[in-house]
Amino acid sequence: MGVGITQAEFAAIIGVSEAKVSQLVAEGVIERGQSAHAWLLAYCERLREVAAGRASGELGGLDLVQERAALARSQREAQEIKNAVARGEFAPIGLLADVLGMASSAVVDRFEQLEGALRKACPDLPDEAKATLQQVIANARNEWIRSTEKLVASELDRMSREADDDEGADDSGTALEDHAEAST
């Protein structure tokens, strides 16, 4: 086979339509200006790749190499999450939100018991001092609740953005870890 074969001639040699040869050129499997021998070698190489499952036989078809890589990445990410859970470094955001809610509720309950405890422990404490103490405690309680809500909301937003970007898998941390690291 010599140089200068047309797409129609090559299609007749390999038994496909001229459109299929055009598609092979568009995909870069074969290049214009090469010899028929080079086209035949490239076409046979493509057939071997498709048969071995390393390439798709169709334009825009399932690319098994990419699919296998995506599956391997998902399996790796799942294993990383399992390992992080086993080490106690990771928990689902829903669970963290529930735990923070329960912790906030427990703190608020204790703060609300303060007034009665003050009356018993310090009956002579002036009303002004009690009011000031209660105001400081109320402000602390409100800030605890606000900070907890903000932390959960920002973590949910971050996770949502990462899911949209399909990059969330590389970060197996949680909001609590991020917050703990930021405050140390």
Side-chain angles (χ1 to χ4, degrees):
M1 294 183 204
V3 176
I5 191 168
T6 66
Q7 289 183 12
E9 292 169 332
F10 188 67
I13 291 170
I14 63 172
V16 298
S17 69
E18 191 175 340
K20 178 64 178 174
V21 174
S22 233
Q23 180 183 349
L24 293 171
V25 170
E27 291 176 9
V29 174
I30 58 178
E31 296 178 20
R32 294 184 200 275
Q34 291 184 326
S35 68
H37 180 259
W39 279 15
L40 189 55
L41 290 176
Y43 179 68
C44 288
E45 177 63 24
R46 171 62 171 230
L47 290 177
R48 281 191 294 277
E49 292 293 311
V50 170
R54 293 185 295 263
S56 172
E58 303 175 13
L59 179 64
L62 183 66
D63 184 345
L64 294 177
V65 173
Q66 289 180 351
E67 292 297 321
R68 285 181 182 147
L71 175 61
R73 185 181 72 227
S74 293
Q75 289 171 334
R76 176 186 50 82
E77 291 167 354
Q79 189 59 51
E80 287 174 354
I81 290 172
K82 287 178 186 175
N83 291 343
V85 168
R87 290 188 302 262
E89 299 171 346
F90 180 84
I93 191 67
L95 174 62
L96 293 175
D98 291 345
V99 168
L100 285 172
M102 287 186 284
S104 295
S105 179
V107 168
V108 168
D109 289 346
R110 298 306 184 280
F111 284 161
E112 289 176 354
Q113 296 172 7
L114 184 61
E115 186 176 356
L118 277 175
R119 263 187 257 137
K120 287 181 183 178
C122 306
D124 296 333
L125 189 65
D127 287 340
E128 258 183 45
K130 288 179 187 175
T132 301
L133 187 56
Q134 287 292 82
Q135 185 61 46
V136 169
I137 296 296
N139 290 343
R141 178 192 64 215
N142 293 339
E143 180 59 25
W144 170 278
I145 292 169
R146 189 195 65 73
S147 295
T148 301
E149 288 174 349
K150 183 178 176 185
L151 181 64
V152 170
S154 68
E155 181 63 8
L156 287 172
D157 287 346
R158 183 189 65 80
M159 290 174 68
S160 176
R161 284 191 309 273
E162 286 178 358
D164 291 345
D165 295 342
D166 195 30
E167 295 175 11
D170 291 337
D171 180 13
S172 61
T174 63
L176 287 182
E177 287 178 6
D178 295 343
H179 183 68
E181 289 174 9
S183 64
T184 56

PDB file of all heavy atoms in Angstrom, residues 141-180:
ATOM      1  N   ARG A 141     -24.504  31.762  75.924  1.00  0.00           N
ATOM      2  CA  ARG A 141     -25.395  30.724  75.408  1.00  0.00           C
ATOM      3  C   ARG A 141     -25.826  31.048  73.985  1.00  0.00           C
ATOM      4  O   ARG A 141     -25.765  30.204  73.091  1.00  0.00           O
ATOM      5  CB  ARG A 141     -26.622  30.609  76.313  1.00  0.00           C
ATOM      6  CG  ARG A 141     -27.631  29.582  75.808  1.00  0.00           C
ATOM      7  CD  ARG A 141     -28.950  29.671  76.541  1.00  0.00           C
ATOM      8  NE  ARG A 141     -29.552  30.968  76.251  1.00  0.00           N
ATOM      9  CZ  ARG A 141     -30.268  31.669  77.105  1.00  0.00           C
ATOM     10  NH1 ARG A 141     -30.479  31.221  78.327  1.00  0.00           N
ATOM     11  NH2 ARG A 141     -30.781  32.829  76.764  1.00  0.00           N
ATOM     12  N   ASN A 142     -26.226  32.290  73.746  1.00  0.00           N
ATOM     13  CA  ASN A 142     -26.672  32.690  72.414  1.00  0.00           C
ATOM     14  C   ASN A 142     -25.526  32.598  71.392  1.00  0.00           C
ATOM     15  O   ASN A 142     -25.742  32.191  70.252  1.00  0.00           O
ATOM     16  CB  ASN A 142     -27.267  34.096  72.447  1.00  0.00           C
ATOM     17  CG  ASN A 142     -28.553  34.138  73.243  1.00  0.00           C
ATOM     18  OD1 ASN A 142     -29.204  33.117  73.445  1.00  0.00           O
ATOM     19  ND2 ASN A 142     -28.914  35.320  73.716  1.00  0.00           N
ATOM     20  N   GLU A 143     -24.336  32.987  71.809  1.00  0.00           N
ATOM     21  CA  GLU A 143     -23.179  32.884  70.905  1.00  0.00           C
ATOM     22  C   GLU A 143     -22.853  31.420  70.613  1.00  0.00           C
ATOM     23  O   GLU A 143     -22.504  31.070  69.496  1.00  0.00           O
ATOM     24  CB  GLU A 143     -21.960  33.590  71.506  1.00  0.00           C
ATOM     25  CG  GLU A 143     -20.715  33.530  70.640  1.00  0.00           C
ATOM     26  CD  GLU A 143     -20.892  34.140  69.258  1.00  0.00           C
ATOM     27  OE1 GLU A 143     -21.754  35.011  69.062  1.00  0.00           O
ATOM     28  OE2 GLU A 143     -20.141  33.728  68.343  1.00  0.00           O
ATOM     29  N   TRP A 144     -22.953  30.553  71.610  1.00  0.00           N
ATOM     30  CA  TRP A 144     -22.728  29.105  71.413  1.00  0.00           C
ATOM     31  C   TRP A 144     -23.690  28.573  70.347  1.00  0.00           C
ATOM     32  O   TRP A 144     -23.277  27.892  69.404  1.00  0.00           O
ATOM     33  CB  TRP A 144     -22.937  28.375  72.741  1.00  0.00           C
ATOM     34  CG  TRP A 144     -22.962  26.883  72.632  1.00  0.00           C
ATOM     35  CD1 TRP A 144     -24.017  26.113  72.269  1.00  0.00           C
ATOM     36  CD2 TRP A 144     -21.884  25.984  72.870  1.00  0.00           C
ATOM     37  NE1 TRP A 144     -23.669  24.793  72.278  1.00  0.00           N
ATOM     38  CE2 TRP A 144     -22.361  24.690  72.644  1.00  0.00           C
ATOM     39  CE3 TRP A 144     -20.564  26.153  73.269  1.00  0.00           C
ATOM     40  CZ2 TRP A 144     -21.563  23.555  72.789  1.00  0.00           C
ATOM     41  CZ3 TRP A 144     -19.779  25.027  73.420  1.00  0.00           C
ATOM     42  CH2 TRP A 144     -20.271  23.753  73.179  1.00  0.00           C
ATOM     43  N   ILE A 145     -24.959  28.912  70.475  1.00  0.00           N
ATOM     44  CA  ILE A 145     -25.970  28.438  69.523  1.00  0.00           C
ATOM     45  C   ILE A 145     -25.713  29.017  68.143  1.00  0.00           C
ATOM     46  O   ILE A 145     -25.735  28.305  67.134  1.00  0.00           O
ATOM     47  CB  ILE A 145     -27.386  28.773  70.035  1.00  0.00           C
ATOM     48  CG1 ILE A 145     -27.692  27.943  71.289  1.00  0.00           C
ATOM     49  CG2 ILE A 145     -28.433  28.531  68.953  1.00  0.00           C
ATOM     50  CD1 ILE A 145     -28.942  28.374  72.028  1.00  0.00           C
ATOM     51  N   ARG A 146     -25.424  30.319  68.072  1.00  0.00           N
ATOM     52  CA  ARG A 146     -25.169  30.969  66.783  1.00  0.00           C
ATOM     53  C   ARG A 146     -23.953  30.359  66.103  1.00  0.00           C
ATOM     54  O   ARG A 146     -23.979  30.044  64.915  1.00  0.00           O
ATOM     55  CB  ARG A 146     -24.969  32.478  66.971  1.00  0.00           C
ATOM     56  CG  ARG A 146     -24.910  33.251  65.656  1.00  0.00           C
ATOM     57  CD  ARG A 146     -24.354  34.653  65.838  1.00  0.00           C
ATOM     58  NE  ARG A 146     -22.966  34.681  66.262  1.00  0.00           N
ATOM     59  CZ  ARG A 146     -21.921  34.376  65.479  1.00  0.00           C
ATOM     60  NH1 ARG A 146     -22.109  34.014  64.249  1.00  0.00           N
ATOM     61  NH2 ARG A 146     -20.686  34.444  65.934  1.00  0.00           N
ATOM     62  N   SER A 147     -22.880  30.160  66.850  1.00  0.00           N
ATOM     63  CA  SER A 147     -21.653  29.592  66.285  1.00  0.00           C
ATOM     64  C   SER A 147     -21.871  28.168  65.805  1.00  0.00           C
ATOM     65  O   SER A 147     -21.363  27.772  64.752  1.00  0.00           O
ATOM     66  CB  SER A 147     -20.528  29.609  67.319  1.00  0.00           C
ATOM     67  OG  SER A 147     -20.181  30.922  67.646  1.00  0.00           O
ATOM     68  N   THR A 148     -22.615  27.394  66.560  1.00  0.00           N
ATOM     69  CA  THR A 148     -22.904  26.015  66.178  1.00  0.00           C
ATOM     70  C   THR A 148     -23.706  25.978  64.882  1.00  0.00           C
ATOM     71  O   THR A 148     -23.389  25.231  63.965  1.00  0.00           O
ATOM     72  CB  THR A 148     -23.666  25.290  67.305  1.00  0.00           C
ATOM     73  OG1 THR A 148     -22.868  25.326  68.488  1.00  0.00           O
ATOM     74  CG2 THR A 148     -23.961  23.853  66.948  1.00  0.00           C
ATOM     75  N   GLU A 149     -24.743  26.800  64.805  1.00  0.00           N
ATOM     76  CA  GLU A 149     -25.560  26.850  63.590  1.00  0.00           C
ATOM     77  C   GLU A 149     -24.733  27.296  62.391  1.00  0.00           C
ATOM     78  O   GLU A 149     -24.842  26.731  61.302  1.00  0.00           O
ATOM     79  CB  GLU A 149     -26.741  27.798  63.784  1.00  0.00           C
ATOM     80  CG  GLU A 149     -27.809  27.265  64.704  1.00  0.00           C
ATOM     81  CD  GLU A 149     -28.902  28.286  64.995  1.00  0.00           C
ATOM     82  OE1 GLU A 149     -28.733  29.481  64.644  1.00  0.00           O
ATOM     83  OE2 GLU A 149     -29.915  27.888  65.582  1.00  0.00           O
ATOM     84  N   LYS A 150     -23.882  28.294  62.599  1.00  0.00           N
ATOM     85  CA  LYS A 150     -23.048  28.802  61.513  1.00  0.00           C
ATOM     86  C   LYS A 150     -22.056  27.737  61.047  1.00  0.00           C
ATOM     87  O   LYS A 150     -21.841  27.557  59.851  1.00  0.00           O
ATOM     88  CB  LYS A 150     -22.296  30.057  61.977  1.00  0.00           C
ATOM     89  CG  LYS A 150     -21.454  30.697  60.908  1.00  0.00           C
ATOM     90  CD  LYS A 150     -20.772  31.955  61.435  1.00  0.00           C
ATOM     91  CE  LYS A 150     -19.859  32.551  60.390  1.00  0.00           C
ATOM     92  NZ  LYS A 150     -19.114  33.676  60.925  1.00  0.00           N
ATOM     93  N   LEU A 151     -21.467  27.018  61.986  1.00  0.00           N
ATOM     94  CA  LEU A 151     -20.509  25.968  61.659  1.00  0.00           C
ATOM     95  C   LEU A 151     -21.168  24.874  60.838  1.00  0.00           C
ATOM     96  O   LEU A 151     -20.642  24.454  59.800  1.00  0.00           O
ATOM     97  CB  LEU A 151     -19.917  25.389  62.948  1.00  0.00           C
ATOM     98  CG  LEU A 151     -18.876  24.294  62.814  1.00  0.00           C
ATOM     99  CD1 LEU A 151     -17.636  24.829  62.117  1.00  0.00           C
ATOM    100  CD2 LEU A 151     -18.505  23.765  64.187  1.00  0.00           C
ATOM    101  N   VAL A 152     -22.328  24.421  61.248  1.00  0.00           N
ATOM    102  CA  VAL A 152     -23.042  23.365  60.518  1.00  0.00           C
ATOM    103  C   VAL A 152     -23.449  23.875  59.133  1.00  0.00           C
ATOM    104  O   VAL A 152     -23.246  23.189  58.130  1.00  0.00           O
ATOM    105  CB  VAL A 152     -24.265  22.874  61.316  1.00  0.00           C
ATOM    106  CG1 VAL A 152     -25.145  21.965  60.475  1.00  0.00           C
ATOM    107  CG2 VAL A 152     -23.810  22.144  62.572  1.00  0.00           C
ATOM    108  N   ALA A 153     -23.996  25.079  59.064  1.00  0.00           N
ATOM    109  CA  ALA A 153     -24.431  25.625  57.774  1.00  0.00           C
ATOM    110  C   ALA A 153     -23.256  25.798  56.818  1.00  0.00           C
ATOM    111  O   ALA A 153     -23.359  25.444  55.639  1.00  0.00           O
ATOM    112  CB  ALA A 153     -25.139  26.965  57.986  1.00  0.00           C
ATOM    113  N   SER A 154     -22.132  26.304  57.295  1.00  0.00           N
ATOM    114  CA  SER A 154     -20.987  26.501  56.406  1.00  0.00           C
ATOM    115  C   SER A 154     -20.418  25.165  55.947  1.00  0.00           C
ATOM    116  O   SER A 154     -19.997  25.033  54.804  1.00  0.00           O
ATOM    117  CB  SER A 154     -19.906  27.360  57.071  1.00  0.00           C
ATOM    118  OG  SER A 154     -19.317  26.673  58.150  1.00  0.00           O
ATOM    119  N   GLU A 155     -20.430  24.163  56.816  1.00  0.00           N
ATOM    120  CA  GLU A 155     -19.942  22.836  56.421  1.00  0.00           C
ATOM    121  C   GLU A 155     -20.865  22.209  55.384  1.00  0.00           C
ATOM    122  O   GLU A 155     -20.400  21.610  54.413  1.00  0.00           O
ATOM    123  CB  GLU A 155     -19.796  21.924  57.639  1.00  0.00           C
ATOM    124  CG  GLU A 155     -19.278  20.550  57.310  1.00  0.00           C
ATOM    125  CD  GLU A 155     -17.873  20.514  56.730  1.00  0.00           C
ATOM    126  OE1 GLU A 155     -17.180  21.548  56.700  1.00  0.00           O
ATOM    127  OE2 GLU A 155     -17.461  19.437  56.282  1.00  0.00           O
ATOM    128  N   LEU A 156     -22.161  22.363  55.558  1.00  0.00           N
ATOM    129  CA  LEU A 156     -23.098  21.840  54.571  1.00  0.00           C
ATOM    130  C   LEU A 156     -22.923  22.542  53.229  1.00  0.00           C
ATOM    131  O   LEU A 156     -22.949  21.896  52.179  1.00  0.00           O
ATOM    132  CB  LEU A 156     -24.541  21.985  55.066  1.00  0.00           C
ATOM    133  CG  LEU A 156     -24.955  21.031  56.172  1.00  0.00           C
ATOM    134  CD1 LEU A 156     -26.341  21.402  56.710  1.00  0.00           C
ATOM    135  CD2 LEU A 156     -24.936  19.599  55.700  1.00  0.00           C
ATOM    136  N   ASP A 157     -22.709  23.866  53.256  1.00  0.00           N
ATOM    137  CA  ASP A 157     -22.462  24.611  52.021  1.00  0.00           C
ATOM    138  C   ASP A 157     -21.186  24.126  51.340  1.00  0.00           C
ATOM    139  O   ASP A 157     -21.153  23.933  50.126  1.00  0.00           O
ATOM    140  CB  ASP A 157     -22.351  26.116  52.294  1.00  0.00           C
ATOM    141  CG  ASP A 157     -23.683  26.760  52.600  1.00  0.00           C
ATOM    142  OD1 ASP A 157     -24.728  26.126  52.343  1.00  0.00           O
ATOM    143  OD2 ASP A 157     -23.679  27.895  53.112  1.00  0.00           O
ATOM    144  N   ARG A 158     -20.127  23.937  52.126  1.00  0.00           N
ATOM    145  CA  ARG A 158     -18.847  23.477  51.572  1.00  0.00           C
ATOM    146  C   ARG A 158     -19.013  22.092  50.937  1.00  0.00           C
ATOM    147  O   ARG A 158     -18.553  21.857  49.825  1.00  0.00           O
ATOM    148  CB  ARG A 158     -17.785  23.418  52.664  1.00  0.00           C
ATOM    149  CG  ARG A 158     -16.400  23.008  52.129  1.00  0.00           C
ATOM    150  CD  ARG A 158     -15.414  22.731  53.250  1.00  0.00           C
ATOM    151  NE  ARG A 158     -15.795  21.585  54.043  1.00  0.00           N
ATOM    152  CZ  ARG A 158     -15.581  20.307  53.685  1.00  0.00           C
ATOM    153  NH1 ARG A 158     -15.020  20.025  52.536  1.00  0.00           N
ATOM    154  NH2 ARG A 158     -15.944  19.322  54.470  1.00  0.00           N
ATOM    155  N   MET A 159     -19.701  21.211  51.630  1.00  0.00           N
ATOM    156  CA  MET A 159     -19.896  19.862  51.099  1.00  0.00           C
ATOM    157  C   MET A 159     -20.725  19.895  49.824  1.00  0.00           C
ATOM    158  O   MET A 159     -20.456  19.160  48.884  1.00  0.00           O
ATOM    159  CB  MET A 159     -20.548  18.969  52.149  1.00  0.00           C
ATOM    160  CG  MET A 159     -19.621  18.646  53.307  1.00  0.00           C
ATOM    161  SD  MET A 159     -20.444  17.728  54.617  1.00  0.00           S
ATOM    162  CE  MET A 159     -20.729  16.183  53.780  1.00  0.00           C
ATOM    163  N   SER A 160     -21.712  20.778  49.795  1.00  0.00           N
ATOM    164  CA  SER A 160     -22.548  20.903  48.607  1.00  0.00           C
ATOM    165  C   SER A 160     -21.733  21.411  47.425  1.00  0.00           C
ATOM    166  O   SER A 160     -21.846  20.906  46.313  1.00  0.00           O
ATOM    167  CB  SER A 160     -23.703  21.850  48.896  1.00  0.00           C
ATOM    168  OG  SER A 160     -24.476  22.063  47.749  1.00  0.00           O
ATOM    169  N   ARG A 161     -20.880  22.415  47.662  1.00  0.00           N
ATOM    170  CA  ARG A 161     -20.019  22.938  46.588  1.00  0.00           C
ATOM    171  C   ARG A 161     -19.052  21.876  46.100  1.00  0.00           C
ATOM    172  O   ARG A 161     -18.831  21.731  44.904  1.00  0.00           O
ATOM    173  CB  ARG A 161     -19.257  24.164  47.075  1.00  0.00           C
ATOM    174  CG  ARG A 161     -20.078  25.433  47.152  1.00  0.00           C
ATOM    175  CD  ARG A 161     -19.201  26.667  47.374  1.00  0.00           C
ATOM    176  NE  ARG A 161     -18.278  26.523  48.477  1.00  0.00           N
ATOM    177  CZ  ARG A 161     -18.553  26.800  49.750  1.00  0.00           C
ATOM    178  NH1 ARG A 161     -19.748  27.237  50.081  1.00  0.00           N
ATOM    179  NH2 ARG A 161     -17.649  26.644  50.689  1.00  0.00           N
ATOM    180  N   GLU A 162     -18.477  21.118  47.033  1.00  0.00           N
ATOM    181  CA  GLU A 162     -17.538  20.073  46.645  1.00  0.00           C
ATOM    182  C   GLU A 162     -18.233  18.979  45.861  1.00  0.00           C
ATOM    183  O   GLU A 162     -17.673  18.441  44.920  1.00  0.00           O
ATOM    184  CB  GLU A 162     -16.839  19.483  47.874  1.00  0.00           C
ATOM    185  CG  GLU A 162     -15.802  20.408  48.440  1.00  0.00           C
ATOM    186  CD  GLU A 162     -15.140  19.840  49.689  1.00  0.00           C
ATOM    187  OE1 GLU A 162     -15.518  18.738  50.135  1.00  0.00           O
ATOM    188  OE2 GLU A 162     -14.218  20.512  50.197  1.00  0.00           O
ATOM    189  N   ALA A 163     -19.450  18.650  46.239  1.00  0.00           N
ATOM    190  CA  ALA A 163     -20.193  17.638  45.494  1.00  0.00           C
ATOM    191  C   ALA A 163     -20.472  18.140  44.088  1.00  0.00           C
ATOM    192  O   ALA A 163     -20.376  17.391  43.123  1.00  0.00           O
ATOM    193  CB  ALA A 163     -21.498  17.301  46.209  1.00  0.00           C
ATOM    194  N   ASP A 164     -20.789  19.439  43.965  1.00  0.00           N
ATOM    195  CA  ASP A 164     -21.019  20.021  42.651  1.00  0.00           C
ATOM    196  C   ASP A 164     -19.747  20.014  41.820  1.00  0.00           C
ATOM    197  O   ASP A 164     -19.783  19.776  40.619  1.00  0.00           O
ATOM    198  CB  ASP A 164     -21.545  21.460  42.762  1.00  0.00           C
ATOM    199  CG  ASP A 164     -22.960  21.514  43.318  1.00  0.00           C
ATOM    200  OD1 ASP A 164     -23.630  20.462  43.346  1.00  0.00           O
ATOM    201  OD2 ASP A 164     -23.384  22.611  43.733  1.00  0.00           O
ATOM    202  N   ASP A 165     -18.620  20.278  42.451  1.00  0.00           N
ATOM    203  CA  ASP A 165     -17.344  20.305  41.740  1.00  0.00           C
ATOM    204  C   ASP A 165     -16.755  18.911  41.563  1.00  0.00           C
ATOM    205  O   ASP A 165     -15.754  18.748  40.888  1.00  0.00           O
ATOM    206  CB  ASP A 165     -16.321  21.159  42.502  1.00  0.00           C
ATOM    207  CG  ASP A 165     -16.732  22.614  42.555  1.00  0.00           C
ATOM    208  OD1 ASP A 165     -17.587  23.014  41.741  1.00  0.00           O
ATOM    209  OD2 ASP A 165     -16.182  23.346  43.400  1.00  0.00           O
ATOM    210  N   ASP A 166     -17.348  17.910  42.211  1.00  0.00           N
ATOM    211  CA  ASP A 166     -16.860  16.526  42.182  1.00  0.00           C
ATOM    212  C   ASP A 166     -15.444  16.439  42.711  1.00  0.00           C
ATOM    213  O   ASP A 166     -14.628  15.675  42.230  1.00  0.00           O
ATOM    214  CB  ASP A 166     -16.961  15.951  40.773  1.00  0.00           C
ATOM    215  CG  ASP A 166     -16.809  14.447  40.782  1.00  0.00           C
ATOM    216  OD1 ASP A 166     -17.179  13.788  41.767  1.00  0.00           O
ATOM    217  OD2 ASP A 166     -16.301  13.921  39.777  1.00  0.00           O
ATOM    218  N   GLU A 167     -15.137  17.281  43.708  1.00  0.00           N
ATOM    219  CA  GLU A 167     -13.830  17.255  44.324  1.00  0.00           C
ATOM    220  C   GLU A 167     -13.936  16.982  45.820  1.00  0.00           C
ATOM    221  O   GLU A 167     -12.935  16.994  46.512  1.00  0.00           O
ATOM    222  CB  GLU A 167     -13.116  18.583  44.115  1.00  0.00           C
ATOM    223  CG  GLU A 167     -12.816  18.858  42.660  1.00  0.00           C
ATOM    224  CD  GLU A 167     -12.223  20.236  42.480  1.00  0.00           C
ATOM    225  OE1 GLU A 167     -11.865  20.875  43.462  1.00  0.00           O
ATOM    226  OE2 GLU A 167     -12.151  20.669  41.341  1.00  0.00           O
ATOM    227  N   GLY A 168     -15.095  16.761  46.288  1.00  0.00           N
ATOM    228  CA  GLY A 168     -15.315  16.534  47.706  1.00  0.00           C
ATOM    229  C   GLY A 168     -14.651  15.301  48.230  1.00  0.00           C
ATOM    230  O   GLY A 168     -14.381  15.161  49.408  1.00  0.00           O
ATOM    231  N   ALA A 169     -14.311  14.391  47.378  1.00  0.00           N
ATOM    232  CA  ALA A 169     -13.753  13.122  47.826  1.00  0.00           C
ATOM    233  C   ALA A 169     -12.337  13.223  48.346  1.00  0.00           C
ATOM    234  O   ALA A 169     -11.915  12.398  49.129  1.00  0.00           O
ATOM    235  CB  ALA A 169     -13.790  12.130  46.679  1.00  0.00           C
ATOM    236  N   ASP A 170     -11.591  14.219  47.959  1.00  0.00           N
ATOM    237  CA  ASP A 170     -10.217  14.314  48.418  1.00  0.00           C
ATOM    238  C   ASP A 170     -10.119  14.817  49.839  1.00  0.00           C
ATOM    239  O   ASP A 170      -9.085  14.722  50.466  1.00  0.00           O
ATOM    240  CB  ASP A 170      -9.417  15.263  47.505  1.00  0.00           C
ATOM    241  CG  ASP A 170      -9.223  14.663  46.125  1.00  0.00           C
ATOM    242  OD1 ASP A 170      -9.289  13.413  46.024  1.00  0.00           O
ATOM    243  OD2 ASP A 170      -9.028  15.425  45.178  1.00  0.00           O
ATOM    244  N   ASP A 171     -11.199  15.375  50.391  1.00  0.00           N
ATOM    245  CA  ASP A 171     -11.189  15.909  51.749  1.00  0.00           C
ATOM    246  C   ASP A 171     -12.099  15.063  52.602  1.00  0.00           C
ATOM    247  O   ASP A 171     -13.304  15.171  52.535  1.00  0.00           O
ATOM    248  CB  ASP A 171     -11.679  17.371  51.735  1.00  0.00           C
ATOM    249  CG  ASP A 171     -11.688  17.983  53.119  1.00  0.00           C
ATOM    250  OD1 ASP A 171     -11.092  17.379  54.034  1.00  0.00           O
ATOM    251  OD2 ASP A 171     -12.294  19.046  53.286  1.00  0.00           O
ATOM    252  N   SER A 172     -11.490  14.203  53.435  1.00  0.00           N
ATOM    253  CA  SER A 172     -12.314  13.321  54.264  1.00  0.00           C
ATOM    254  C   SER A 172     -12.544  13.918  55.645  1.00  0.00           C
ATOM    255  O   SER A 172     -13.057  13.259  56.518  1.00  0.00           O
ATOM    256  CB  SER A 172     -11.649  11.948  54.390  1.00  0.00           C
ATOM    257  OG  SER A 172     -10.391  12.086  55.014  1.00  0.00           O
ATOM    258  N   GLY A 173     -12.187  15.187  55.852  1.00  0.00           N
ATOM    259  CA  GLY A 173     -12.342  15.818  57.155  1.00  0.00           C
ATOM    260  C   GLY A 173     -13.754  16.270  57.402  1.00  0.00           C
ATOM    261  O   GLY A 173     -14.622  16.191  56.556  1.00  0.00           O
ATOM    262  N   THR A 174     -13.963  16.768  58.612  1.00  0.00           N
ATOM    263  CA  THR A 174     -15.275  17.265  58.994  1.00  0.00           C
ATOM    264  C   THR A 174     -15.155  18.693  59.459  1.00  0.00           C
ATOM    265  O   THR A 174     -14.064  19.218  59.656  1.00  0.00           O
ATOM    266  CB  THR A 174     -15.850  16.427  60.154  1.00  0.00           C
ATOM    267  OG1 THR A 174     -14.989  16.593  61.279  1.00  0.00           O
ATOM    268  CG2 THR A 174     -15.976  14.970  59.779  1.00  0.00           C
ATOM    269  N   ALA A 175     -16.297  19.306  59.645  1.00  0.00           N
ATOM    270  CA  ALA A 175     -16.314  20.690  60.118  1.00  0.00           C
ATOM    271  C   ALA A 175     -15.667  20.799  61.482  1.00  0.00           C
ATOM    272  O   ALA A 175     -14.982  21.769  61.770  1.00  0.00           O
ATOM    273  CB  ALA A 175     -17.758  21.199  60.167  1.00  0.00           C
ATOM    274  N   LEU A 176     -15.889  19.815  62.334  1.00  0.00           N
ATOM    275  CA  LEU A 176     -15.313  19.888  63.673  1.00  0.00           C
ATOM    276  C   LEU A 176     -13.798  19.847  63.612  1.00  0.00           C
ATOM    277  O   LEU A 176     -13.123  20.568  64.345  1.00  0.00           O
ATOM    278  CB  LEU A 176     -15.831  18.739  64.538  1.00  0.00           C
ATOM    279  CG  LEU A 176     -17.276  18.865  64.991  1.00  0.00           C
ATOM    280  CD1 LEU A 176     -17.647  17.680  65.871  1.00  0.00           C
ATOM    281  CD2 LEU A 176     -17.504  20.152  65.734  1.00  0.00           C
ATOM    282  N   GLU A 177     -13.239  18.992  62.722  1.00  0.00           N
ATOM    283  CA  GLU A 177     -11.785  18.950  62.591  1.00  0.00           C
ATOM    284  C   GLU A 177     -11.247  20.281  62.107  1.00  0.00           C
ATOM    285  O   GLU A 177     -10.287  20.800  62.645  1.00  0.00           O
ATOM    286  CB  GLU A 177     -11.373  17.870  61.592  1.00  0.00           C
ATOM    287  CG  GLU A 177     -11.529  16.463  62.087  1.00  0.00           C
ATOM    288  CD  GLU A 177     -11.139  15.462  61.028  1.00  0.00           C
ATOM    289  OE1 GLU A 177     -10.644  15.865  59.970  1.00  0.00           O
ATOM    290  OE2 GLU A 177     -11.347  14.272  61.254  1.00  0.00           O
ATOM    291  N   ASP A 178     -11.908  20.843  61.075  1.00  0.00           N
ATOM    292  CA  ASP A 178     -11.470  22.121  60.524  1.00  0.00           C
ATOM    293  C   ASP A 178     -11.537  23.192  61.593  1.00  0.00           C
ATOM    294  O   ASP A 178     -10.634  24.006  61.732  1.00  0.00           O
ATOM    295  CB  ASP A 178     -12.333  22.525  59.331  1.00  0.00           C
ATOM    296  CG  ASP A 178     -12.190  21.566  58.163  1.00  0.00           C
ATOM    297  OD1 ASP A 178     -11.196  20.787  58.153  1.00  0.00           O
ATOM    298  OD2 ASP A 178     -13.068  21.580  57.284  1.00  0.00           O
ATOM    299  N   HIS A 179     -12.639  23.221  62.357  1.00  0.00           N
ATOM    300  CA  HIS A 179     -12.809  24.230  63.398  1.00  0.00           C
ATOM    301  C   HIS A 179     -11.780  24.032  64.505  1.00  0.00           C
ATOM    302  O   HIS A 179     -11.194  24.998  64.991  1.00  0.00           O
ATOM    303  CB  HIS A 179     -14.226  24.163  63.965  1.00  0.00           C
ATOM    304  CG  HIS A 179     -14.509  25.210  64.982  1.00  0.00           C
ATOM    305  ND1 HIS A 179     -14.591  26.544  64.642  1.00  0.00           N
ATOM    306  CD2 HIS A 179     -14.714  25.122  66.306  1.00  0.00           C
ATOM    307  CE1 HIS A 179     -14.829  27.233  65.753  1.00  0.00           C
ATOM    308  NE2 HIS A 179     -14.914  26.391  66.768  1.00  0.00           N
ATOM    309  N   ALA A 180     -11.547  22.777  64.888  1.00  0.00           N
ATOM    310  CA  ALA A 180     -10.582  22.496  65.962  1.00  0.00           C
ATOM    311  C   ALA A 180      -9.167  22.907  65.536  1.00  0.00           C
ATOM    312  O   ALA A 180      -8.433  23.489  66.316  1.00  0.00           O
ATOM    313  CB  ALA A 180     -10.601  21.006  66.310  1.00  0.00           C
TER     314      ALA A 180
END
